[in-house]
Amino acid sequence: MKVTINDVAELSGVSMKTVSRVINNEASVRQATRDKVMAAVKELNYQPNLAARSLAGTKSYTIAYIYDNPNAYYVIDMQNGILSECKKQNFELVIHPCNSKADDIIEEITSMIKHSRVAGVVLTPPFSEMPSVTERLTDIGVKFVRIISGHKVPDEISPCIMVNDFDAAVEITQHLIDLGHKDIGFISGGKEHKSTFERIEGYKSTLVKNNITVQEDLIIDGEYSFESGVSGADKLLQRQNRPTAIFSCNDEIAAGALFASRLQHVAIPKELSIVGFENSPFSRQTWPKITTADQPNQTIAQNATALLINEIRGQKTDEICEQFTPKLLVRDSTAKH
């Protein structure tokens, strides 16, 4: 027979209401009582019916992850991080992919939230950087947490996880300069992502700091995709005075750039150094493995979800912002010039 909340209450010697308060992580329960209830939960292998909990009362125990990102590895890391924290805190997760450029995107998000009875939303770029989205969520009273590129919190309307792409791009560019590279190409990601601009600015500022002229014709517009890496590298390698290194805005672009270089019989890293960003599987599945910036996306997602659930439960903390700076990870795709 299925174990019920009544079985847990009977074994632990407390009321069903107390069991419910422990399962919902309410702060008003004594630690000794909490330990007794959790021991009973473990012994009986009790699995709370989260959907029934939401329907039985006014509280919702469901959060949503809304995303529009072509990088499948980024999305999977985010999903896994959010899901692990949801399981830990007895919340359900609704995953909602959508098109951030659609004319009716605000109505779509609003409808999903109401239909799924969502208590909170995890926003990643570009949604986390769209005022129209955050304004609507504020208007309808739904809690949200934003994962944003930058090093300074833009406002106090929600908890934030800041990813310091600028400083990481500085470290990557300086690594190439220290290897003797001066003609460094740059293949950008989509302009709807703030991370693209943060990484370009980190690249440019480091060149200037090292008295190297910024060559705008070495900066190629692109998207966060393998195909952008291929076409971007083709353009850079067709130049008469082609670069000796390429800074790719993410690992998928870098893998595409490496592929294009191989087709043109350019030796990596002997003739051309290539760097990526994020430390996704793309950077480890190529040969040579790609130098990159290690961005712990699962940890970022986990921490964002913990901040969001605290907000939903009204457990205010002094820290509503956390910051991560991706760290340089040197591999075999870069060498001295």
Side-chain angles (χ1 to χ4, degrees), residues 98-151:
C98 47
N99 179 6
S100 62
K101 297 175 184 176
D103 292 337
D104 63 345
I105 186 60
I106 303 301
E107 287 68 32
E108 179 185 339
I109 291 172
T110 305
S111 175
M112 181 277 295
I113 287 170
K114 290 180 177 178
H115 178 75
S116 303
R117 298 188 72 247
V118 166
V121 182
V122 177
L123 297 175
T124 54
F127 292 112
S128 57
E129 297 157 1
M130 292 170 61
S132 58
V133 172
T134 57
E135 286 168 11
R136 176 57 64 87
L137 294 179
T138 302
D139 287 344
I140 63 178
V142 173
K143 303 291 186 183
F144 58 94
V145 62
R146 292 168 293 168
I147 298 172
I148 309 176
S149 175
H151 58 278

Side-chain angles (χ1 to χ4, degrees), residues 238-259:
Q238 285 169 15
R239 286 172 47 87
Q240 186 173 2
N241 183 28
R242 69 189 189 189
T244 62
I246 295 176
F247 184 151
S248 307
C249 226
N250 77 348
D251 295 329
E252 195 168 351
I253 295 172
L258 193 150
F259 178 76

Side-chain angles (χ1 to χ4, degrees), residues 48 70 96 135 145 153 170 173 207 233 244:
H96 189 77
E135 286 168 11
V145 62
V153 182
V170 166
T173 309
L207 293 177
T244 62

Side-chain angles (χ1 to χ4, degrees), residues 237-286:
L237 294 174
Q238 285 169 15
R239 286 172 47 87
Q240 186 173 2
N241 183 28
R242 69 189 189 189
T244 62
I246 295 176
F247 184 151
S248 307
C249 226
N250 77 348
D251 295 329
E252 195 168 351
I253 295 172
L258 193 150
F259 178 76
S261 303
R262 282 267 180 76
L263 291 179
Q264 296 193 36
H265 306 290
V266 176
I268 310 296
K270 185 178 180 182
E271 296 177 83
L272 177 71
S273 287
I274 295 176
V275 299
F277 204 107
E278 287 176 13
N279 190 26
S280 75
F282 273 105
S283 68
R284 304 185 292 276
Q285 292 168 353
T286 60

Side-chain angles (χ1 to χ4, degrees), residues 19 27 42 53 71 96-97 108 159 164 175 190 200 213 231 235 247 251 256 291 297 320-322 324-325:
V19 174
K42 185 175 181 180
R53 281 164 63 203
N71 185 340
H96 189 77
E108 179 185 339
N164 194 341
H175 166 67
I200 289 175
T213 301
S231 61
K235 291 173 185 174
F247 184 151
D251 295 329
T291 293
N297 286 325
I320 65 161
C321 173
E322 295 182 22
F324 288 84
T325 301

Side-chain angles (χ1 to χ4, degrees), residues 138-295:
T138 302
D139 287 344
I140 63 178
V142 173
K143 303 291 186 183
F144 58 94
V145 62
R146 292 168 293 168
I147 298 172
I148 309 176
S149 175
H151 58 278
K152 186 178 179 182
V153 182
D155 50 55
E156 295 182 357
I157 64 172
S158 81
C160 292
I161 300 286
M162 306 300 298
V163 181
N164 194 341
D165 291 287
F166 179 90
D167 283 358
V170 166
E171 189 177 19
I172 287 175
T173 309
Q174 191 62 54
H175 166 67
L176 293 173
I177 293 170
D178 290 344
L179 290 173
H181 298 281
K182 293 182 179 179
D183 296 315
I184 303 171
F186 188 98
I187 306 174
S188 83
K191 293 296 177 67
E192 69 274 20
H193 293 269
K194 191 168 181 282
S195 59
T196 297
F197 295 97
E198 292 285 324
R199 293 170 194 181
I200 289 175
E201 288 308 308
Y203 154 83
K204 285 183 174 180
S205 69
T206 311
L207 293 177
V208 171
K209 185 179 178 182
N210 286 272
N211 298 314
I212 298 172
T213 301
V214 176
Q215 301 176 63
E216 293 293 340
D217 60 335
L218 287 183
I219 300 174
I220 307 296
D221 288 342
E223 298 292 335
Y224 283 110
S225 67
F226 182 89
E227 291 75 18
S228 273
V230 174
S231 61
D234 279 340
K235 291 173 185 174
L236 290 169
L237 294 174
Q238 285 169 15
R239 286 172 47 87
Q240 186 173 2
N241 183 28
R242 69 189 189 189
T244 62
I246 295 176
F247 184 151
S248 307
C249 226
N250 77 348
D251 295 329
E252 195 168 351
I253 295 172
L258 193 150
F259 178 76
S261 303
R262 282 267 180 76
L263 291 179
Q264 296 193 36
H265 306 290
V266 176
I268 310 296
K270 185 178 180 182
E271 296 177 83
L272 177 71
S273 287
I274 295 176
V275 299
F277 204 107
E278 287 176 13
N279 190 26
S280 75
F282 273 105
S283 68
R284 304 185 292 276
Q285 292 168 353
T286 60
W287 184 85
K289 290 182 173 65
I290 296 171
T291 293
T292 186
D294 183 21
Q295 182 172 309

